[in-house]
Every structure is written in structure tokens, then in C-alpha cells.
Amino acid sequence: MVNAVQMTSETLAYATLGGLAIALLVSIYTDIRYRLIFNKVTIAIALAAPLFWYATGGFNLTDIGLHLLTAAITLIVFAAAFHFGAMGGGDVKLFAALALWFHWVEVIRLILYASIIGAAVTIIFLAIHKWKQRDGRARIPYGVAIALSGLWIAGERIFNHFT
């Protein structure tokens, strides 16, 4: 009976990670295409996090509190960046929604990876802006970097579970 419960939890964990991956890929597409990260996608990411906590055995008050605190701190830090025009509101919400999924150490890595990938995304989109000789400031889809970082961290859960 324990093996059946464990298998069900493992299946749920993989299913939620798969759903997260799909939502992040949608975010990448919409951010490149429309420079928007749709609220319905971000809300779905946030609402699916408790299922992942449950499937991975992190559904207790201490762990839930840490996830909520990490997400709240992430939201506050990046809301300040939004206030100063450094990033869009969808980016802030996506960071906070992703912060619900992972341990705070992984969230720090998520932010680090997003910063590095974000630099590459910025260079690419500035080059495209200049190459197409567009007027005004280039609009950088930073959600691409956030989503790719989220995929990286989620992928580590799948591919590094043997270690």
C-alpha cells in the first residue's frame, strides 16, 4: 500500500512539474509575442504550487510558511524593481509565483540564473531593435529569462533526482 501512495505522489509531482513547464513555455511565447505575461497563466502557476508541495511531502505548516514568506519577499523585492521601471508587473508576478514552488535556496538560484539569462536576452533584443532600426527604447521580454530559469530549476528536480 505504501508503494501505491508513493507512486501516486511521484506521479502527481511529475504531473505538476509538467504543468509548470507548459505554463512557463506559454509565458515565454506570450512575452516575446505580446510583451505580456498573462495573469491567468501566473495564477495557475501559483495555485498549482500547493499540489506540488503535497506531492513532494512539503505540505506542513513550517514548509508552507517558508514558501509563502519566500514568495512574499520575492514579490516585495521585485515590486521595488517595478516601481523604478526596471521590470514589468508580469515579470514581478511570475517571479513571486515561481517562488512558491521552490525552497528559498532554489529561489536564490532562480534569481541568479534569471539575471544571467536576462543579460543574454537583453543583448539579443537590443541587437534586434538596433538591426531593425526601430525608434524608442527596446522592450525587453525579461519574462523569458524568468521562465527559462524556472524551467532550469524544475528540470533539476526531474533530471537530478537520482543523486
Side-chain angles (χ1 to χ4, degrees):
M1 186 68 165
V2 172
N3 288 337
V5 171
Q6 182 180 4
M7 183 60 83
T8 304
S9 293
E10 189 173 310
T11 303
L12 181 58
Y14 284 123
T16 55
L17 284 172
L20 175 63
I22 291 167
L24 291 173
L25 290 171
V26 167
S27 295
I28 290 170
Y29 173 76
T30 62
D31 203 25
I32 290 172
R33 172 86 189 209
Y34 307 109
R35 297 302 191 269
L36 289 171
I37 300 170
F38 296 133
N39 285 336
K40 61 185 170 187
V41 175
T42 306
I43 290 168
I45 290 171
L47 292 177
L51 287 173
F52 183 70
W53 305 338
Y54 174 76
T56 57
F59 204 72
N60 59 61
L61 284 179
T62 303
D63 288 342
I64 291 169
L66 280 172
H67 284 296
L68 294 175
L69 178 62
T70 302
I73 291 169
T74 303
L75 180 66
I76 291 166
V77 167
F78 289 105
F82 170 75
H83 176 74
F84 292 108
M87 64 186 347
D91 302 330
V92 173
K93 292 180 275 188
L94 183 58
F95 256 136
L98 280 172
L100 287 169
W101 279 73
F102 306 117
H103 186 274
W104 66 269
V105 173
E106 291 173 310
V107 173
I108 291 171
R109 287 192 7 249
L110 173 84
I111 294 166
L112 174 66
Y113 295 167
S115 298
I116 294 167
I117 296 169
V121 168
T122 300
I123 291 167
I124 290 166
F125 278 86
L126 285 174
I128 291 169
H129 184 78
K130 185 174 180 133
W131 178 62
K132 290 186 174 184
Q133 299 177 345
R134 292 191 174 147
D135 293 331
R137 262 179 70 191
R139 294 179 59 211
I140 309 300
Y142 197 68
V144 171
I146 299 165
L148 287 173
S149 300
L151 287 168
W152 185 302
I153 299 291
E156 288 177 347
R157 293 277 184 143
I158 294 170
F159 299 114
N160 293 344
H161 75 281
F162 298 110
T163 58

